[in-house]
Amino acid sequence: MHDYLKDPKKRIIAEGANATMLDWDFGTYPYVTSSNTTVGGVSTGLGVPPQAVETSIGIVKAYTTRVGAGPFPTWLDDEIGDRLQTVEHEFGATTGRVRKCGWLDLNVVKFADKINGFSSINVTKLDVLSGIPNLKVATHYELDGKKLEGSMPGTIEDLARCKTVYADLPGW
């Protein structure tokens, strides 16, 4: 791999399979994986020098998913969440556990951008929202009257206490 880094005609693409919120250092501990799932994992996991990373593309679903326990501010524990699960077959690839589904959480997207320094963002699965008449997008959280925009509270307990603020949008 390091030979490829020296060759200007070669490119290396690294894909992170988990989201920033599952990262060992920056995620919603203890509900995380056992590795670094942010762009920093390219250096710590693959041995690529940080200055060799030229581009970081954020891949964001048009809705939010989560496997396992822990606070999930935009979780749709209702028929819309069930619909998203069913339509897109939202089950864990390894465990087969059902993924919880929720509205798009722009607070998490902004936080992930701070950590990863995205060059661009690719929004996927917009088609899955087709037919839902009224959509919501979480714009930020509020904790004890303070606006959290692009930042996460310091503890899981505080995240569970956050109020999620939404923008309402018409469906298609």
Side-chain angles (χ1 to χ4, degrees), residues 63-155:
Y63 55 95
T64 306
T65 59
R66 178 77 188 225
V67 172
F72 184 0
T74 66
W75 182 25
L76 291 165
D77 189 16
D78 60 14
E79 66 280 350
I80 294 175
D82 292 344
R83 179 187 181 282
L84 295 174
Q85 260 174 7
T86 303
V87 168
E88 203 46 43
H89 311 288
E90 290 289 356
F91 301 93
T94 302
T95 65
R97 288 187 294 176
V98 173
R99 286 192 187 113
K100 298 174 187 174
C101 296
W103 296 119
L104 176 60
D105 190 334
L106 293 180
N107 194 63
V108 167
V109 173
K110 291 173 188 176
F111 176 73
D113 182 37
K114 282 183 182 178
I115 301 299
N116 295 287
F118 298 140
S119 304
S120 61
I121 294 178
N122 180 7
V123 180
T124 65
K125 302 192 179 204
L126 282 161
D127 60 314
V128 177
L129 300 177
S130 294
I132 300 174
N134 301 302
L135 304 172
K136 292 183 180 284
V137 175
T139 58
H140 64 279
Y141 306 153
E142 290 179 358
L143 178 63
D144 299 330
K146 181 181 175 190
K147 183 177 182 179
L148 301 177
E149 188 168 20
S151 63
M152 299 299 290
T155 68

Side-chain angles (χ1 to χ4, degrees), residues 28-31 70-71 143-144 153-162:
T28 50
Y29 185 85
Y31 306 104
L143 178 63
D144 299 330
T155 68
I156 288 294
E157 293 79 17
D158 283 347
L159 180 56
R161 293 187 316 107
C162 282

Side-chain angles (χ1 to χ4, degrees), residues 13-20 22 35-42 46 56-59 116:
I13 297 174
E15 175 191 9
N18 291 312
T20 298
L22 296 178
S35 62
N36 295 105
T37 58
T38 60
V39 72
V42 173
L46 297 177
S56 175
I57 301 171
I59 309 296
N116 295 287

